[in-house]
Amino acid sequence: MITSKIIANGILKAIGFLVLVAISLYFLFLIQSVLIYIVVALILTLIGNPILDFLKKRLKFKHTLATIATLLIFILFITVFVMMFIPLISSQGQNLSLLKTAEIEKNVTQLVNQTAAFLESYHIDSEQMIKEGNITSKINFNFIPNFLNTILETISNFGIGLASVLFITFFFLKDGLLFINGAKKLIPDSQEDKILNSIHKINHLLSRYFIGLLLQLFIVFLLYLIVLFIFGIPNPFIIAFLCAVLNIVPYIGPLIASILAAILTMLSNLGSDFQTEILPTTIYVLIGFWIVQIIDNNLSQPLIFSKSVSSHPLEIFLVILIAGFLSGILGMIIAVPLYTILKVIGKEFFPENTVIQLLTKNI
């Protein structure tokens, strides 16, 4: 028989559970920076594991020495990156952040007026429409210097996060087996083989995926750089790098990269004739970027998705599309790794399911 005491105890337990969940979520919110460090360190570990294995098996390095060498490779790569890009970003950001907002507004207004004059030559009265709408006066340009200063401040604080990530990565690489052996004590014996097999396959597939993704971004960066060099666009390294990074976001990223490249190309040619210089150069850059995307979409991406995670390109496209509808850009970024993890788990724990057999036949 259910008594008031039992009901009261049930309510108290439910309240206690909700409070515990709330406290846990608040705690995770407070340490979100640490969680980000751990996630980045895990990704670096997945990328570093093949390097570690190569040094141990091919070059006969001891485990600790191979770990140090792998970390030094990461540090060397990051150092080259910093030496190439940060001074450029810093100098350009400093120059732009010192500009008065009125000067920035003047430049953008000049570009808008040049565009309107070009359209008017084809009997499109956009200039009057822009003036009636008073568009430029409604745009607040004060955010631009603040935004650039925020970027510079982030760069200056980058060292603390980088040191933390590298420190965590070192122990993930060095003591990965110790972590697995410790986890074995918490895993039920009946499920131990399935869980350990899942971890091994996930580690292997995601390592291949992240290495392939880095290779893809590097190829896209080089192709963007060539396009920008051909047409003499200022600051080609910065623009190519930013546009290449945007390719991390599938399908939407390349579109944003093209728009960004077009805007920066126009702004870099202010003062030139719009019809004979600004517009043709911008169109040529966009065509070059679209050609890069055709190459990437038909060569780089299918190779990464099909080979690294053993999934059909159409399958990946649908997964990314669904993830985008459910969770936006973040969902699109994590869709492939998360889908790969779920496929591995499904194959290990539900091997008799017909749908899972169909989806995981290549794993």
Side-chain angles (χ1 to χ4, degrees):
M1 181 177 180
I2 300 175
T3 63
S4 58
K5 184 177 180 180
I6 294 175
I7 295 175
N9 287 335
I11 293 174
L12 288 175
K13 288 181 180 178
I15 293 174
F17 175 75
L18 292 175
V19 170
L20 182 62
V21 170
I23 293 173
S24 300
L25 291 176
Y26 180 67
F27 176 72
L28 292 176
F29 173 76
L30 292 177
I31 62 168
Q32 57 182 313
S33 296
V34 178
L35 296 178
I36 293 172
Y37 294 161
I38 293 174
V39 170
V40 174
L42 283 172
I43 294 174
L44 287 179
T45 302
L46 290 170
I47 296 172
N49 276 331
I51 302 173
L52 185 70
D53 292 338
F54 174 81
L55 293 174
K56 289 168 60 178
K57 294 177 181 178
R58 299 286 184 175
L59 302 182
K60 307 301 181 182
F61 279 26
K62 297 293 185 182
H63 182 71
T64 302
L65 181 60
T67 303
I68 295 173
T70 303
L71 205 65
L72 288 176
I73 291 173
F74 283 144
I75 293 173
L76 178 62
F77 176 80
I78 294 169
T79 302
V80 171
F81 165 78
V82 170
M83 291 178 65
M84 286 180 60
F85 295 105
I86 299 304
L88 290 171
I89 295 173
S90 179
S91 62
Q92 293 302 315
Q94 233 173 6
N95 292 335
L96 289 172
S97 65
L98 292 175
L99 288 175
K100 295 180 180 179
T101 55
E103 185 67 23
I104 299 173
E105 183 173 355
K106 178 183 174 182
N107 291 337
V108 175
T109 303
Q110 179 184 349
L111 179 61
V112 170
N113 289 335
Q114 286 181 326
T115 306
F118 170 73
L119 294 174
E120 189 176 352
S121 66
Y122 289 90
H123 308 291
I124 301 174
D125 192 12
S126 60
E127 185 176 3
Q128 185 63 28
M129 184 173 61
I130 292 173
K131 288 181 179 179
E132 289 177 358
N134 202 18
I135 294 174
T136 55
S137 64
K138 295 178 181 179
I139 302 175
N140 183 9
F141 291 90
N142 292 319
F143 79 94
I144 296 178
N146 295 332
F147 175 71
L148 292 167
N149 286 327
T150 301
I151 292 177
L152 294 175
E153 184 179 352
T154 302
I155 291 172
S156 65
N157 294 330
F158 179 70
I160 298 175
L162 178 61
S164 301
V165 168
L166 291 176
F167 185 79
I168 297 170
T169 303
F170 173 79
F171 286 102
F172 279 174
L173 288 169
K174 179 177 176 292
D175 299 326
L177 291 177
L178 290 179
F179 295 145
I180 293 176
N181 291 332
K184 285 182 180 180
K185 299 178 181 178
L186 303 176
I187 299 173
D189 293 337
S190 59
Q191 302 296 326
E192 182 176 317
D193 289 339
K194 293 181 180 179
I195 293 175
L196 292 179
N197 286 336
S198 298
I199 293 174
H200 175 73
K201 288 182 180 178
I202 289 170
N203 177 67
H204 175 67
L205 291 173
L206 292 187
S207 293
R208 292 172 57 185
Y209 170 75
F210 285 116
I211 291 174
L213 184 61
L214 286 178
L215 179 61
Q216 178 210 5
L217 295 181
F218 181 70
I219 292 171
V220 170
F221 164 72
L222 287 180
L223 294 175
Y224 281 160
L225 190 61
I226 291 171
V227 171
L228 296 171
F229 266 124
I230 289 174
F231 298 107
I233 307 301
N235 304 316
F237 282 96
I238 298 174
I239 298 174
F241 175 72
L242 292 176
C243 292
V245 169
L246 286 170
N247 277 260
I248 293 176
V249 183
Y251 308 112
I252 293 179
L255 176 62
I256 298 174
S258 298
I259 296 172
L260 177 63
I263 293 172
L264 293 176
T265 300
M266 286 184 173
L267 292 176
S268 66
N269 288 311
L270 279 178
S272 303
D273 183 74
F274 184 83
Q275 185 169 354
T276 60
E277 293 189 33
I278 296 178
L279 183 61
T281 303
T282 303
I283 291 175
Y284 294 148
V285 169
L286 283 175
I287 292 173
F289 270 50
W290 292 335
I291 292 174
V292 171
Q293 285 307 314
I294 291 172
I295 295 172
D296 181 51
N297 291 335
N298 290 280
L299 293 176
S300 303
Q301 286 190 15
L303 182 64
I304 291 172
F305 294 151
S306 299
K307 302 298 182 182
S308 64
V309 296
S310 302
S311 297
H312 192 277
L314 179 59
E315 180 184 350
I316 293 297
F317 173 77
L318 293 175
V319 168
I320 292 174
L321 195 63
I322 294 171
F325 279 117
L326 293 177
S327 303
I329 291 178
L330 179 61
M332 297 177 76
I333 294 173
I334 67 172
V336 176
L338 183 59
Y339 179 62
T340 302
I341 292 172
L342 293 176
K343 282 177 66 174
V344 171
I345 293 174
K347 182 167 186 176
E348 287 297 326
F349 288 90
F350 308 100
E352 304 301 325
N353 185 281
T354 306
V355 176
I356 290 177
Q357 286 178 353
L358 181 65
L359 293 176
T360 61
K361 60 182 180 180
N362 295 323
I363 295 180

